[in-house]
Amino acid sequence: MRVIYPGSFDPITKGHLDIIKRIAPKSEKVYVAILNNSTKNYLFSLEERLELIRKSCEDIENIEVVYFDGLLVDFAKKLNCSIIIRGLRAVSDYEMEMQMALVNRSMYKDLETLFMVADGNYSYLSSSIVKEVASYGGDIEQYVPKCVAESLMKKLR
Ligand code: ADP
């Protein structure tokens, strides 16, 4: 199956990477799709987010990093994907994810959302918390790939 894993990835964390590494061997092709919403303020530019995901995933063969700014369902259709992958960390993720999955399915019946339970080691991790820890000078190496840690430190210096 061809799957699409959408998100902001601002920046990619070890939690995201864990999901990608778990789904890749079970898929024909994984599109990691960066949402670039022009009304949102990202710390990392689209190009930086793209590059950091590419570097972090360079040992995974069947993955392609792409970006989009419209409706996810339209983009998934264009790429011929039948599955949307989303990660579930806690019950707090559920409500929003459920709504998105239902609205997406109402627009495109053949597109299923598949939820993957976050690894216990990463279930507390989010891009926001990593940025917050880094902004106070905390060590973030255990939360993100090395290239992200370096890039984040440089940005905040
Ligand atoms: P979004 O703004 O779409 O939530 P994110 O980059 O925050 O974008 O997350 C993209 C996807 O990755 C979401 O499905 C989210 O639940 C999942 N995710 C985020 N952090 C983790 C984590 N630590 N473990 C597993 N999945 C995660």
Side-chain angles (χ1 to χ4, degrees), residues 5-19 22 33 35 40 42 84-90 93 96-97 100 114-119 121-128 143:
Y5 179 41
S8 310
F9 304 106
D10 185 35
I12 185 169
T13 68
K14 286 190 178 174
H16 294 126
L17 201 52
D18 175 65
I19 297 283
R22 282 160 56 198
L35 173 65
K40 266 198 186 173
Y42 300 104
I84 298 173
I85 298 292
R86 295 288 289 176
L88 274 187
R89 285 163 292 188
D93 278 342
M96 187 67 174
E97 292 294 338
M100 279 201 304
L114 207 116
F115 292 109
M116 291 182 62
V117 174
D119 186 282
N121 291 319
Y122 303 129
S123 59
Y124 60 88
L125 256 193
S126 66
S127 301
S128 316
Y143 309 133

Side-chain angles (χ1 to χ4, degrees), residues 49-65:
R49 286 179 285 153
L50 239 143
E51 194 48 37
L52 290 174
I53 300 176
R54 273 199 192 130
K55 266 193 201 156
S56 310
C57 298
E58 59 192 2
D59 53 342
I60 310 170
E61 272 176 16
N62 56 337
I63 162 186
E64 196 174 322
V65 191

Side-chain angles (χ1 to χ4, degrees), residues 62-128:
N62 56 337
I63 162 186
E64 196 174 322
V65 191
V66 290
Y67 64 89
F68 70 107
D69 60 4
L71 275 179
L72 173 62
V73 288
D74 290 338
F75 192 57
K77 240 189 235 180
K78 206 170 92 182
L79 296 175
N80 227 347
C81 290
S82 54
I83 307 273
I84 298 173
I85 298 292
R86 295 288 289 176
L88 274 187
R89 285 163 292 188
V91 181
S92 51
D93 278 342
Y94 181 81
E95 210 167 330
M96 187 67 174
E97 292 294 338
M98 171 90 172
Q99 187 184 23
M100 279 201 304
L102 287 174
V103 82
N104 283 337
R105 193 145 59 88
S106 72
M107 290 187 282
Y108 181 17
K109 289 275 171 294
D110 289 335
L111 191 60
E112 290 290 347
T113 300
L114 207 116
F115 292 109
M116 291 182 62
V117 174
D119 186 282
N121 291 319
Y122 303 129
S123 59
Y124 60 88
L125 256 193
S126 66
S127 301
S128 316

Side-chain angles (χ1 to χ4, degrees), residues 140-155:
I140 49 160
E141 293 251 340
Q142 56 175 318
Y143 309 133
V144 291
K146 208 168 174 347
C147 60
V148 175
E150 286 168 1
S151 186
L152 194 48
M153 301 311 266
K154 216 189 273 172
K155 212 173 250 298

